[in-house]
Amino acid sequence: GVLIVVGIGEDGQREILGVWCANTESEASWLEVFRELKERGLTGVSYVVSDDHAGLTKAIARHFQGVVWQRCQVHFMRNVLGLVTKKNQKTVLAQLREITGALSLESAQARLSEAVDLMTKPHPKVADLLDTHGEEMLAVHALPDHHRRRMKSTNMLERYNEEIRRRTRVIRIFPNEASCIRLVSALAMEINEEWMDRKYLNMM
């Protein structure tokens, strides 16, 4: 697997901070990634958005104590939809969008509570997941209003990830880890150059 970290600086500019190969997306792998970034000078981390992979979230908690952690809303919604039949996905998705589209934390929490109540009988697994982990989607409300749309998920990485998949499908099997890192790093540099053309967040 390829592990990727993107950072957004105080100037609102985003940058791919590094790429790493790992046999598994384990806590140990991510601990090593974050250790290396700190050795390179990473400081002042206040907000992290990621999926909910157990190893990753544990590593974040150990390296960035006190940081605001946001569960990627897109990944969470996919996990929820995976618990219901295709026939019921539209109804459940509408409930999820009520939560993620709320304009304030209080409103989002109220809609989350309502969704849990509504889903308890028809979709108990959905209700349980929302009740247990739904609040983790709402950390984005700690940010200014104009940052929330972009910081509630890891969507900024989707194009880069798609390009990685497209290029690696052609090669299929890399002779060694170094050759994989060379390709993915080259793509990262291309993306970084594109990103430098405009700020990702307005920090005013």
Side-chain angles (χ1 to χ4, degrees), residues 64-130:
F64 307 111
Q65 295 180 5
V67 72
V68 174
W69 176 66
Q70 164 73 31
R71 178 193 284 262
C72 174
Q73 291 185 356
V74 173
H75 285 107
F76 185 73
M77 291 167 77
R78 287 173 183 164
N79 291 342
V80 171
L81 293 177
L83 298 175
V84 298
T85 63
K86 190 171 183 180
K87 175 183 176 182
N88 293 312
Q89 286 183 354
K90 186 175 180 179
T91 300
V92 173
L93 182 59
Q95 288 294 322
L96 294 173
R97 285 177 172 164
E98 285 286 318
I99 300 167
T100 60
L103 298 179
S104 69
L105 176 59
E106 293 73 18
S107 177
Q109 289 171 328
R111 293 178 185 186
L112 174 61
S113 180
E114 291 170 3
V116 171
D117 291 340
L118 287 170
M119 295 290 157
T120 297
K121 285 188 177 180
H123 307 294
K125 290 183 179 180
V126 170
D128 184 59
L129 186 58
L130 288 174

Side-chain angles (χ1 to χ4, degrees), residues 15-52:
E15 178 183 356
I16 296 173
L17 301 181
V19 295
W20 298 261
C21 279
N23 290 329
T24 61
E25 194 177 349
S26 64
E27 179 181 358
S29 298
W30 281 110
L31 286 172
E32 180 63 21
V33 167
F34 295 145
R35 182 194 62 77
E36 181 182 323
L37 287 174
K38 283 184 171 181
E39 288 180 350
R40 285 167 44 194
L42 177 65
T43 59
V45 177
S46 59
Y47 180 93
V48 176
V49 57
S50 75
D51 63 24
D52 62 341

Side-chain angles (χ1 to χ4, degrees), residues 4-9 11-20 37 40 156-157 159-161 163-164 183-200:
I4 306 166
V5 177
V6 173
I8 301 174
D11 59 356
Q13 207 77 47
R14 58 179 167 163
E15 178 183 356
I16 296 173
L17 301 181
V19 295
W20 298 261
L37 287 174
R40 285 167 44 194
M156 73 167 79
L157 275 171
R159 181 175 172 275
Y160 178 47
N161 287 336
E163 189 63 14
I164 290 175
L183 172 62
V184 178
S185 296
L187 292 174
M189 288 187 283
E190 290 178 15
I191 294 293
N192 275 341
E193 288 182 10
E194 292 180 16
W195 284 354
M196 291 304 292
D197 291 339
R198 61 188 183 280
K199 290 186 178 181
Y200 191 65

